[in-house]
């Protein structure tokens, strides 16, 4: 089962050209709907603060080092 899953993922990566599974699955689903001439909608939600709350200590450290190293 794991071999089949790994092979399926490898084939999808080759066809779509993405290393991340999320955009790969979105692109494959959109292409599938276009080929079938079906109506579809894709809602992609991106977090406002992917690193965490901007005022949090961990996020402030990340921002500090980004500024220092740039």
């Amino acid at each position: 089962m794991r071999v089949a899953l790994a092979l399926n993922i490898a084939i999808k990566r080759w066809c779509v050209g993405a290393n991340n599974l999320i955009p790969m699955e979105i692109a494959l689903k959109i292409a599938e709907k276009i080929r079938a001439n079906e109506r579809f909608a894709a809602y992609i939600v991106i977090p406002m603060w992917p690193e965490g709350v901007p005022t949090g200590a961990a996020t402030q450290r990340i921002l500090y080092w980004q500024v220092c190293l740039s």
Side-chain angles (χ1 to χ4, degrees):
M1 174 109 170
R2 284 187 170 188
V3 174
L5 179 62
L7 182 59
N8 190 18
I9 290 170
I11 290 170
K12 286 181 181 179
R13 282 187 184 164
W14 180 78
C15 292
V16 178
N19 289 327
N20 190 329
L21 290 177
I22 295 170
M24 189 182 329
E25 291 296 331
I26 293 170
L28 288 171
K29 183 57 79 172
I30 290 171
E32 176 186 315
K33 296 295 182 182
I34 290 171
R35 278 191 217 106
N37 201 24
E38 295 178 18
R39 290 187 61 179
F40 68 93
Y43 297 93
I44 301 169
V45 180
I46 301 171
M48 186 177 279
W49 298 304
E51 298 87 15
V53 180
T55 56
T59 306
Q60 287 299 311
R61 283 191 209 120
I62 292 169
L63 294 172
Y64 171 78
W65 286 107
Q66 284 179 345
V67 170
C68 287
L69 297 175
S70 61

